[in-house]
Amino acid sequence: MDMAAEQRPSTTSDQPPASTLAPPPDSDRQSPTDSTPVQPGVVPRLGLLARLSSQFGSRGLTRRGPLLDDAARRVLLLHGLEGTATVLSARVDTEVGPEFWVRVQLEDRHAYETRVRQRASTADREWMQPGDIVCCRVDPGDHDRVVLYLPAPEETSRTNIAKILADGRRARATVLAATPVAADYTGRDDPVLRLDLELRAWDEPSPWRVRVVQPVPLSALELVDLGRHLDVAFFTVDRGESVAVDWAASRRDD
């Protein structure tokens, strides 16, 4: 997780004009959507598997940011817009190295998804797995020019899913939506889904809604159909940062 001193992002608020970094791209930037219709009478698990394979199969996802050289990376780390990025998918391409499909959140702006190609050590990649939240800097003139980085060790606040399940409070969740987000899904590994849930806990006065991004075991895909109920653990009422789904308990209760 150690970074060279010259590559540490500056904490100053000085931002260069957008034109000093990169001009906006001409291409239309749209997030991939799931256009595969759900056929009546299809078993939910098979329907979701078909959607995953259709959306993230051989055609893949084409939107990707440029591979930045060291100089451009340093400029972004020093002067880019500060934000956070939720890792949706991570893989190592034999030709271009590590690639990350991330959901970027900048202050006072709508979140968006993009693919980031950058060098990352094996140790850093352990903290950049699907569901992890890392820091990022974004070119104000081209929001697909993104640099990901880990916070300093004393600032790291990632909450481990296993810790939430072991020590967290319990709640019952209703599935409001389930959207596949893992790029290049081929059906061999557990898919990563973005889950919109409504939680109810016995010691909270009212239900609340959260959004979590987590791998879903293939054996539990049928549990994320609209309106289904899941067992979850949480530490506090938030937007989903401290929430983890207990898939084993959810299967037992099904």
Side-chain angles (χ1 to χ4, degrees):
M1 292 176 56
D2 291 337
M3 299 178 60
E6 66 272 17
Q7 292 189 349
R8 289 282 186 190
S10 171
T11 56
T12 63
S13 59
D14 295 335
Q15 299 290 347
S19 60
T20 63
L21 292 177
D26 294 329
S27 60
D28 182 29
R29 297 177 297 171
Q30 294 183 348
S31 298
T33 57
D34 181 8
S35 59
T36 306
V38 178
Q39 300 296 329
V42 177
V43 178
R45 177 181 176 183
L46 295 178
L48 186 54
L49 280 171
R51 290 167 57 202
L52 288 166
S53 299
S54 174
Q55 184 170 350
F56 302 117
S58 58
R59 62 184 176 89
L61 295 170
T62 58
R63 178 182 171 187
R64 69 175 62 186
L67 181 61
L68 303 177
D69 58 29
D70 290 340
R73 176 183 169 85
R74 283 194 294 271
V75 170
L76 270 186
L77 286 172
L78 291 171
H79 302 296
L81 299 175
E82 186 175 3
T84 60
T86 301
V87 180
L88 306 178
S89 176
R91 72 188 185 103
V92 177
D93 189 284
T94 55
E95 295 183 358
V96 300
E99 291 188 345
F100 305 93
W101 186 262
V102 298
R103 182 176 179 83
V104 177
Q105 180 66 65
L106 301 175
E107 186 176 1
D108 299 327
R109 306 196 185 193
H110 292 296
Y112 66 96
E113 296 178 9
T114 189
R115 179 176 289 177
V116 178
R117 298 184 295 161
Q118 71 173 57
R119 290 186 293 274
S121 67
T122 301
D124 282 357
R125 292 202 304 271
E126 290 296 320
W127 291 83
M128 302 170 73
Q129 296 301 307
D132 288 338
I133 299 176
V134 299
C135 301
C136 68
R137 292 278 181 160
V138 179
D139 186 334
D142 181 357
H143 285 184
D144 279 338
R145 285 167 52 89
V146 179
V147 171
L148 307 176
Y149 66 95
L150 299 177
E154 62 273 14
E155 300 173 357
T156 301
S157 60
R158 184 182 74 165
T159 304
N160 187 272
I161 291 178
K163 181 174 178 59
I164 299 176
L165 294 177
D167 303 328
R169 300 151 62 191
R170 290 287 161 164
R172 191 71 166 165
T174 301
V175 178
L176 304 178
T179 307
V181 294
D184 304 312
Y185 174 73
T186 60
R188 293 189 296 268
D189 301 318
D190 290 342
V192 178
L193 269 64
R194 180 171 60 242
L195 302 174
D196 291 317
L197 308 171
E198 182 177 80
L199 272 58
R200 295 176 181 270
W202 70 270
D203 55 350
E204 292 295 336
S206 59
W208 71 102
R209 294 188 176 186
V210 302
R211 172 170 287 181
V212 299
V213 177
Q214 292 182 5
V216 178
L218 291 172
S219 59
L221 280 178
E222 70 273 12
L223 300 180
V224 298
D225 197 20
L226 182 64
R228 297 294 291 270
H229 297 290
L230 302 172
D231 287 307
V232 302
F234 71 102
F235 281 142
T236 187
V237 176
D238 56 24
R239 294 177 298 180
E241 293 85 353
S242 71
V243 176
V245 179
D246 190 335
W247 298 111
S250 299
R251 284 197 296 265
R252 287 195 301 267
D253 295 341
D254 183 50

